[in-house]
Amino acid sequence: LPARYTASMDFVAKGKITQGGFTKWQARSQNEQAANGFQNIAISPGVIDHTTNEIDNVSPAALRENITVCSTPRSNTYTLTVTSSSPEKAKKKLKVVAKNFKKEFKLEYKQGRKAMPTKEMRRMYLKPILPTVLVKSIKTRVVKSYPNVKFAAAIGTATGFLLATWGSIYWRLRRSYR
């Protein structure tokens, strides 16, 4: 199997995501909804088109599938990840995607294409408030994400052991009932 590498960047979103008075479950839900909002921006046509223009030999569909944004529980920290076939490509794609993500976020919410929800709207519908300012990334890292050879070897060994045991029991029972 070909190796896959994941480059990830943690970034802090400045601004309050949840309002006071919410339960822990509602606050966690709003944090996840904000991450989904960031994910939608990260795979939006604006980010994908600009990224494919800057990086050669990248299909928009493949790039869209390899970008994810997830939240860190109880914080304004989010992780943007990009997966690729080599560590250099993953890091390069991540840098370009992060740059275009930040530009698209500013276009979406700063220049008025979408109005930020008011405090009353957020409380009434429990809508997530996306933070208004993206702060510089905390750290960038690249790790090998696939294949995990040790895990695959362990699964293969366990499966082989179970099949051998089952086969041995089956043949012994078959002989004893003849």
Side-chain angles (χ1 to χ4, degrees):
L1 296 171
R4 303 290 290 165
Y5 295 89
T6 301
S8 60
M9 173 185 292
D10 294 337
F11 65 91
V12 176
K14 189 176 175 184
K16 199 167 187 176
I17 294 178
T18 59
Q19 297 298 313
F22 288 149
T23 64
K24 288 182 181 179
W25 179 83
Q26 289 169 330
R28 183 172 51 246
S29 173
Q30 287 209 337
N31 198 0
E32 291 169 3
Q33 288 178 12
N36 289 338
F38 285 135
Q39 172 73 22
N40 291 337
I41 293 171
I43 62 171
S44 68
V47 173
I48 298 296
D49 291 343
H50 285 93
T51 303
T52 54
N53 288 342
E54 292 181 38
I55 299 174
D56 296 332
N57 301 327
V58 177
S59 75
L63 182 62
R64 188 174 284 112
E65 290 176 8
N66 292 327
I67 297 174
T68 58
V69 178
C70 61
S71 63
T72 304
R74 290 179 250 130
S75 74
N76 284 356
T77 306
Y78 297 87
T79 304
L80 173 67
T81 61
V82 177
T83 305
S84 187
S85 59
S86 74
E88 296 81 21
K89 286 181 183 178
K91 195 169 187 176
K92 182 180 178 183
K93 286 180 186 178
L94 177 67
K95 286 182 180 182
V96 175
V97 167
K99 179 182 75 165
N100 292 325
F101 172 76
K102 195 169 184 179
K103 284 181 186 177
E104 187 68 18
F105 181 82
K106 286 180 182 177
L107 284 175
E108 292 265 342
Y109 291 100
K110 293 293 185 180
Q111 295 181 359
R113 280 200 291 186
K114 291 182 183 175
M116 290 297 280
T118 63
K119 195 172 189 179
E120 291 77 25
M121 287 173 59
R122 289 192 309 271
R123 284 193 177 161
M124 186 174 175
Y125 299 109
L126 295 177
K127 297 213 180 223
I129 169 174
L130 287 177
T132 54
V133 177
L134 297 178
V135 181
K136 250 185 171 176
S137 67
I138 299 172
K139 55 186 170 183
T140 303
R141 59 192 172 280
V142 179
V143 295
K144 187 175 183 179
S145 57
Y146 187 80
N148 187 343
V149 177
K150 289 181 183 177
F151 180 73
I155 294 295
T157 303
T159 303
F161 178 73
L162 288 173
L163 288 174
T165 304
W166 178 79
S168 175
I169 292 171
Y170 174 76
W171 289 112
R172 287 182 187 194
L173 289 175
R174 187 173 176 197
R175 273 193 212 151
S176 66
Y177 286 114
R178 281 189 174 180

